[in-house]
């Protein structure tokens, strides 16, 4: 029986992945085996010695003390891609919104409030609507920068809308490449994409390398009148350069989920209040994914989508599974197998992977496990945590 503590309210769909015959759910147990969290700040929280894992229902892990977790052998999971559908749909909405000038058009209609005669209103509408004419998406070119969980969905949806889609991602994962529609044109450099596209959308993480991806030079390379969408992170676009490009007409519309004071009220800018992941489905997907990752680790020692430990997922074989979290140091494997050989265990499968300074070794073995095996393995220098399942 594992105790799982929830630090925030977690969607029932997620909690249903932790059945009562295996898990006791609690909001205040001070000695949990696992923690499920959304936004609660854990930096000042004491991490009990038997705590095995923390799963965050969401992508960012700023609220979790990662260094302390690694030192204590606590695996931290997140839920990358769980909100990708939610963001991708919003981007499709923004493509239409930006192309057809929906926000200024709706504002303009609002300003006709007070017109009491239906006939006068109809006349006003007919006269005024031409200022909001905007192009259809069909046959226009969309450039997608970053083809991960969100970028791939946006690219595939845009193709389904009849757009020509160009993609740029020098680090694309095998999974993403499998999911990407073959109709997406591969661009090997960013300039190539920028100079061709009528619409450009960003889906890369914010890192020192991606900050200001759209700076003055990049915006200069774009087609005149390009529409830019940024539903990834504000800092990916240099706002001063963007304001200048809007002023000159190089950019006709900038749609962003990241409002900044200098952008508000500027013609051509449409800001939404970081709505990308704000759907009930997204919250549910995150909770389900977090609970499944936590459960698979507690029950089987499998690590999928951890931010501080390597990915190790193995079907079970043998009679017992031995899981070791240790420092990524030389000589560990021979020390571990020396102990298991001495114990008379036959290793069926063995996986060892590292992530930066941390490493994980998972052994499936047959044979009788001596009572003191975990203690012996724990004595090996650099070993942080041993579990025998
Ligand atoms: N608006 C929102 O509410 C919201 C919600 C979720 C995510 N996001 C943002 O969207 C971003 C993308 O999310 P995701 O789930 O698709 O992430 P992901 O990790 O699945 O994909 C990111 C992709 O960017 C690529 N990449 C990295 N550096 C690049 C570069 N220099 N040039 C081109 N491609 C590069 C990676 O190879 C990867 O394929 C997140 O990092 C986050 O900042 C925003």
């Amino acid at each position: 029986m594992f105790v799982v503590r929830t630090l925030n309210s977690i969607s029932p769909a997620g909690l249903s992945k932790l059945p009562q015959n295996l898990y006791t759910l609690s909001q205040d147990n001070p000695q949990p085996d696992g923690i499920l969290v959304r936004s609660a700040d854990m930096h000042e929280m004491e991490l009990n010695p038997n705590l095995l894992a923390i799963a965050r229902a969401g992508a960012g892990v700023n609220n979790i003390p990662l260094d302390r977790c690694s030192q204590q052998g606590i695996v931290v999971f997140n839920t990358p891609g769980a909100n990708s559908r939610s963001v991708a749909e919003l981007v499709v909405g923004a493509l239409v919104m930006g192309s057809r000038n929906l926000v200024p058009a709706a504002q303009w209609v609002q300003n006709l409030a007070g017109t009491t005669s239906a006939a006068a209103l109809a006349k006003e509408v007919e006269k005024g609507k031409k200022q909001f004419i905007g192009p259809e998406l069909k046959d226009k070119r969309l450039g997608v920068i970053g083809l991960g969980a969100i970028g791939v969905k946006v690219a595939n949806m845009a193709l389904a809308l009849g757009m020509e889609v160009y993609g740029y991602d020098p680090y694309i994962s095998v999974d993403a490449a499998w999911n990407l529609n073959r109709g997406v044109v591969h661009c090997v450099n960013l300039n190539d994409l920028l100079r061709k596209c009528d619409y450009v959308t960003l889906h890369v993480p914010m890192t020192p390398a991606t900050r200001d991806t759209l700076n003055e030079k990049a915006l200069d390379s774009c087609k005149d009148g390009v529409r830019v969408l940024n539903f990834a992170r504000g800092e990916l676009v240099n706002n001063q350069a963007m304001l200048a490009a809007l002023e000159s007409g190089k950019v006709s519309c900038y749609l962003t989920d990241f409002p900044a004071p200098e952008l508000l009220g500027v013609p051509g800018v449409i800001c939404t209040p970081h709505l990308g992941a704000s759907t009930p489905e997204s919250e549910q997907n995150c909770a389900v994914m977090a609970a499944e990752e936590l459960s698979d680790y507690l029950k089987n020692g499998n690590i999928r989508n951890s931010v501080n430990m390597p990915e190790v997922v193995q079907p079970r074989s043998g009679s017992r599974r031995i899981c070791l979290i240790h420092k990524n140091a030389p000589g560990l494997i021979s020390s571990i197998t020396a102990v298991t050989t001495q114990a008379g265990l036959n290793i069926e499968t063995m996986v060892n992977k590292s992530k930066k300074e941390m490493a994980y070794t998972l052994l499936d073995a047959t044979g009788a496990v001596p009572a003191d095996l975990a203690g012996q393995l724990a004595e090996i220098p650099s070993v942080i945590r041993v579990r025998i399942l």
Side-chain angles (χ1 to χ4, degrees):
M1 201 71 168
F2 296 107
V3 175
V4 173
R5 180 170 168 188
T6 53
L7 298 186
N8 297 100
S9 115
I10 302 289
S11 152
L15 298 180
S16 72
K17 301 289 168 189
L18 303 169
Q20 282 176 2
N21 60 332
L22 274 180
Y23 299 94
T24 304
L25 296 175
S26 159
Q27 290 177 10
D28 49 17
N29 189 313
Q31 304 293 322
D33 301 292
I35 287 180
L36 275 172
V37 62
R38 282 168 58 200
S39 55
D41 187 346
M42 298 183 66
H43 284 281
E44 302 304 318
M45 193 175 151
E46 199 182 317
L47 304 172
N48 52 298
N50 63 307
L51 179 63
L52 298 170
I54 299 168
R56 152 107 166 97
V61 285
N62 301 349
N63 55 327
I64 301 172
L66 289 185
D67 287 345
R68 266 200 297 144
C69 288
S70 297
Q71 282 156 19
Q72 286 186 225
I74 298 165
V75 184
V76 180
F77 297 97
N78 69 345
T79 58
N83 49 25
S84 55
R85 174 81 200 186
S86 155
V87 182
E89 284 191 10
L90 187 64
V91 170
V92 170
L95 277 170
V96 177
M97 194 158 75
S99 218
R100 304 293 292 276
N101 300 309
L102 291 188
V103 172
Q107 274 164 354
W108 179 80
V109 174
Q110 276 301 110
N111 290 338
L112 298 178
T115 316
T116 47
S117 144
L121 181 59
K123 202 169 158 201
E124 200 63 39
V125 163
E126 280 312 305
K127 196 170 76 182
K129 72 180 185 185
K130 57 180 171 295
Q131 60 188 302
F132 303 112
I133 287 173
E136 292 179 11
L137 298 176
K138 188 167 180 301
D139 297 331
K140 305 301 180 309
R141 293 177 170 181
L142 171 68
V144 183
I145 304 172
L147 293 162
I150 298 171
V152 164
K153 285 195 172 73
V154 168
N156 293 350
M157 287 175 178
L159 274 180
L161 288 170
M163 299 187 84
E164 271 181 46
V165 182
Y166 292 75
Y168 169 69
D169 187 337
Y171 319 106
I172 190 167
S173 72
V174 173
D175 261 3
W178 272 108
N179 289 327
L180 190 64
N181 188 307
R182 290 176 64 189
V184 175
V185 181
H186 176 194
C187 291
V188 289
N189 66 63
L190 184 57
N191 259 7
D192 195 27
L193 177 149
L194 294 176
R195 69 185 176 78
K196 284 186 178 136
C197 291
D198 307 295
Y199 302 75
V200 169
T201 184
L202 288 153
H203 298 291
V204 294
M206 170 42 209
T207 66
T210 58
R211 178 184 291 277
D212 284 348
T213 296
L214 294 188
N215 54 19
E216 189 184 341
K217 192 161 166 251
L219 288 169
D220 260 0
S221 316
C222 290
K223 276 178 90 168
D224 288 344
V226 64
R227 290 177 169 83
V228 176
L229 295 89
N230 179 7
F231 288 77
R233 280 293 173 265
E235 298 86 344
L236 299 171
V237 174
N238 182 297
N239 283 346
Q240 292 313 321
M242 177 55 75
L243 291 172
L246 283 157
E247 177 74 30
S248 72
K250 172 59 101 175
V251 172
S252 62
C253 184
Y254 178 45
L255 298 112
T256 177
D257 212 13
F258 304 94
E262 63 272 25
L263 295 176
L264 302 183
V266 175
V269 176
I270 295 171
C271 293
T272 44
H274 199 177
L275 281 183
S278 297
T279 62
E281 291 85 356
S282 166
E283 200 175 292
Q284 217 176 69
N285 291 344
C286 288
V288 167
M289 199 163 158
E292 285 178 341
E293 289 163 357
L294 182 63
S295 160
D296 199 19
Y297 179 66
L298 294 178
K299 278 193 308 187
N300 300 313
N302 285 327
I303 300 181
R304 195 192 303 266
N305 294 327
S306 169
V307 292
N308 64 338
M309 302 287 167
E311 184 107 346
V312 177
V313 181
Q314 277 294 317
R316 298 216 31 179
S317 59
S319 50
R320 301 302 292 271
R321 174 163 274 193
I322 303 166
C323 313
L324 295 104
I325 292 175
H326 51 87
K327 289 271 173 62
N328 183 13
L332 255 287
I333 302 206
S334 52
S335 307
I336 294 166
T337 51
V339 173
T340 55
T341 307
Q342 178 74 22
L345 292 170
N346 185 34
I347 296 173
E348 304 284 344
T349 319
M350 177 166 176
V351 185
N352 168 270
K353 281 198 189 167
S354 61
K355 184 166 187 160
K356 296 186 180 157
E357 69 277 11
M358 301 305 297
Y360 189 58
T361 300
L362 191 147
L363 291 113
D364 282 334
T366 44
V369 170
D372 64 342
L373 184 74
Q376 285 183 46
L377 289 166
E379 276 172 22
I380 298 172
S382 297
V383 169
I384 298 170
R385 179 163 334 246
V386 180
R387 286 204 301 151
I388 300 183
L389 304 171

